[in-house]
Amino acid sequence: MALAAGTHRLSFRRTGYARALSVPVAVTVGGTADADLVMTPTTDAYADVRVVTPNGTALADATVTILDDTTDAVLVPPCTTAPDGTCNVLVPGGTPFRIRVASDPAVYVTSTSGVQTVAAGDVLTTEVPLSY
C-alpha cells in the first residue's frame, strides 16, 4: 500500500473478526512504516444505522431496536441515535433480524426494515428514513 508522507491511521476488517482499533503510522518521504494490529475472532457482526427525516436531515434521539426475524424478540439493548443520526449496534452474526426505528410518535411513523443477515465480523451500513 502506498501512502503519502505524513501520519495516517490504518484500520482493517475481515469476516469473522471483531473490529480492530485503528493504529497510527508515520511515513517519511521514500520510507516505509510497520504497524502491528491484533484482530480477534468473533461471532458478532455490526449494524451501522443512520436515521434521517423525510428530507434527509439526520435525526438525533431516535431509538434503534434490533428484532429477531421470527419471534420479534429484542436481540440486543436498543440504542439512541447521536446528533448526526447514527447508531452503531453489535448484532449476532448470521442471525436474521429486522431493524425497528422509532422517534417522536406525534411527528414520525415507526419504521421496521426487511430481513437482514450479517456474517460474523462483517458490517451492515444502512440509512433509515422515517416518514411523517
Side-chain angles (χ1 to χ4, degrees):
M1 168 187 313
L3 297 171
T7 301
H8 303 274
R9 294 199 69 78
L10 301 178
S11 61
F12 303 89
R13 272 198 265 188
R14 182 174 170 95
T15 297
Y17 288 83
R19 285 182 174 173
L21 298 175
S22 61
V23 293
V25 293
V27 179
T28 59
V29 174
T32 62
D34 293 320
D36 291 320
L37 185 71
V38 176
M39 296 185 75
T40 307
T42 186
T43 58
D44 292 321
Y46 307 91
D48 292 348
V49 180
R50 181 169 185 261
V51 180
V52 295
T53 64
N55 66 4
T57 303
L59 185 60
D61 298 321
T63 301
V64 175
T65 306
I66 305 299
L67 304 172
D68 181 272
D69 176 50
T70 56
T71 66
D72 275 345
V74 175
L75 291 176
V76 295
C79 69
T80 302
T81 56
D84 64 356
T86 61
C87 180
N88 303 313
V89 186
L90 200 62
V91 298
T95 300
F97 64 91
R98 290 176 291 115
I99 301 169
R100 182 177 63 208
V101 178
S103 191
D104 181 349
V107 179
Y108 300 103
V109 176
T110 297
S111 173
T112 303
S113 75
V115 178
Q116 310 283 339
T117 304
V118 186
D122 281 354
V123 179
L124 167 72
T125 302
T126 187
E127 185 170 278
V128 179
L130 290 184
S131 58
Y132 296 120

